[in-house]
Amino acid sequence: MSFRSWRITTRVFRHKRPLGQSLVELALVLPMLMLLLAGALDLGRLYYSQITITNAAKEGALEASKNPTSFDNTRGCDATTNRVMCRVLTEANGSFYTIQPADVTLVCSANPCPAVPTIGNTVTVTVTGHFRLITPLLSAFTGGQNISISKSAVAQLRVTPLSTTTTSSTTTTTSSTTTTTSSTTTTTTTAACGAPNVSGAIGVSPSFGTSTKSGTGTNFAFTAPTVTPQPSCTFVYSWSFGDGANSSDLAPQHVYAKKGSGGGKDYTVTLTISTGVFPNWTGSISVVVDP
């Protein structure tokens, strides 16, 4: 062997690494690589779940704008009585995250959600997701492995526009020699409803001075003030009795189960009268419930 060949052989053996050393290095690096990969998967799952929850809230708000009273978060999808829940759950089908009915809430700006909404009424659908990370790598940034994601969407309640009706009448005149037929078309346009013109104040019985005072269990009778009629317009009455109860009657009755919580142990009864356009009329009266 020449001197040159001996130097090349020596250099090759000198740079050759033992197989055992490579396995040890791989054993040290592999857990870190797997941890980083799991963290990347967690980020992807978290981002995808956030998109799913956001889209589900938007779909629920879109359906609620048409059917705000078709909602019940104590049960699943029902195409007849729970259409909002159907829209939310359908949007999440096939995703990594499954939305539970209890995670969905619906709130209208007019409480309770009106069956006949007016312009400006809104509905908010909120979907809350509960996400768990695979690894604790990201928990230092998220505050723990369990993460709650809440997304809301707001939509205007759909209001049916006023319609215009057209009626036709035909008049026929007959003589012995000539028959003449004339057609008369009459167009009737429904006038737009205006803001309620209210006179007087809210009435309540039994009464006590400027407010109403009686004990719990008393049946209070309320009457709405006088409203000037408007042709082809319907007035909507929305009562709020101050204890969470509501009514849409013209002259409702209500029984308070406990004393008031104010300084005078009172409740504020509020009435809103609307015709489908703004501004609405709103009035209130104080009811003192203290035996």
Side-chain angles (χ1 to χ4, degrees), residues 14-66:
R14 186 169 55 198
H15 288 83
K16 186 176 181 180
R17 301 170 65 181
L19 179 60
Q21 181 181 351
S22 300
L23 292 176
V24 171
E25 292 176 352
L26 178 62
L28 293 175
V29 174
L30 186 59
M32 298 182 62
L33 293 176
M34 295 298 293
L35 190 61
L36 290 175
L37 178 60
L41 290 175
D42 267 343
L43 281 176
R45 292 174 58 247
L46 181 61
Y47 179 70
Y48 186 82
S49 297
Q50 184 176 5
I51 293 177
T52 299
I53 294 170
T54 301
N55 291 340
K58 291 180 179 179
E59 291 294 323
L62 181 62
E63 180 64 36
S65 67
K66 298 180 291 184

Side-chain angles (χ1 to χ4, degrees), residues 200-214:
I202 300 174
V204 62
S205 178
S207 61
F208 181 81
T210 58
S211 63
T212 298
K213 182 175 182 180
S214 187

Side-chain angles (χ1 to χ4, degrees), residues 22-224:
S22 300
L23 292 176
V24 171
E25 292 176 352
L26 178 62
L28 293 175
V29 174
L30 186 59
M32 298 182 62
L33 293 176
M34 295 298 293
L35 190 61
L36 290 175
L37 178 60
L41 290 175
D42 267 343
L43 281 176
R45 292 174 58 247
L46 181 61
Y47 179 70
Y48 186 82
S49 297
Q50 184 176 5
I51 293 177
T52 299
I53 294 170
T54 301
N55 291 340
K58 291 180 179 179
E59 291 294 323
L62 181 62
E63 180 64 36
S65 67
K66 298 180 291 184
N67 301 288
T69 59
S70 182
F71 175 77
D72 184 0
N73 66 348
T74 62
R75 55 193 179 91
C77 171
D78 188 307
T80 303
T81 61
N82 205 10
R83 295 181 61 88
V84 177
M85 187 63 67
C86 288
R87 196 71 172 265
V88 172
L89 298 181
T90 301
E91 178 63 23
N93 285 345
S95 64
F96 293 141
Y97 178 79
T98 302
I99 297 176
Q100 301 298 327
D103 296 332
V104 184
T105 60
L106 183 149
V107 178
C108 290
S109 58
N111 186 24
C113 292
V116 183
T118 59
I119 297 176
N121 290 151
T122 60
V123 60
T124 302
V125 175
T126 302
V127 179
T128 302
H130 306 285
F131 184 84
R132 180 175 178 79
L133 297 172
I134 299 177
T135 65
L137 181 63
L138 300 178
S139 61
F141 305 98
T142 59
Q145 286 187 260
N146 295 318
I147 304 172
S148 293
I149 305 172
S150 182
K151 296 295 179 181
S152 299
V154 182
Q156 294 274 348
L157 291 182
R158 185 178 65 178
V159 178
T160 303
L162 298 175
S163 60
T164 300
T165 58
T166 302
T167 59
S168 299
S169 61
T170 302
T171 303
T172 303
T173 303
T174 304
S175 64
S176 59
T177 58
T178 305
T179 301
T180 303
T181 302
S182 63
S183 177
T184 303
T185 300
T186 303
T187 301
T188 303
T189 303
T190 304
C193 297
N197 184 9
V198 179
S199 60
I202 300 174
V204 62
S205 178
S207 61
F208 181 81
T210 58
S211 63
T212 298
K213 182 175 182 180
S214 187
T216 56
T218 301
N219 187 12
F220 292 93
F222 298 91
T223 55

